[in-house]
Amino acid sequence: MISIFIVFAIFILFYVNKMTSSLCIQKEIPEERQHKVFRTINVLVTILLISSYLEILYT
């Protein structure tokens, strides 16, 4: 079960980063701010994935 979830999580993180990159290009966010946007989104998505894994694990 954990291996399936890890593959799913990697796919989700990759796709979210791809969408974040498109957002930065579309909104013309400066290079110096892009790393903050990526870091914030990646941290929030990681928290979401960990909480969903724990919910699945203990349900």
Side-chain angles (χ1 to χ4, degrees):
M1 164 118 166
I2 193 167
S3 60
I4 294 171
F5 196 83
I6 289 173
V7 170
F8 175 71
I10 290 171
F11 174 74
I12 293 294
L13 282 172
F14 176 76
Y15 194 68
V16 166
N17 280 328
K18 186 176 175 183
M19 290 191 307
T20 304
S21 177
S22 297
L23 173 74
C24 288
I25 292 170
Q26 182 181 11
K27 296 296 182 183
E28 298 175 355
I29 297 174
E31 286 286 329
E32 57 272 358
R33 289 193 58 217
Q34 285 184 14
H35 66 83
K36 291 181 183 178
V37 172
F38 274 95
R39 186 181 332 136
T40 303
I41 291 175
N42 283 333
V43 167
L44 293 174
V45 169
T46 302
I47 291 170
L48 179 66
L49 288 169
I50 290 171
S51 65
S52 64
Y53 176 74
L54 291 175
E55 183 177 346
I56 290 170
L57 187 66
Y58 293 114
T59 301

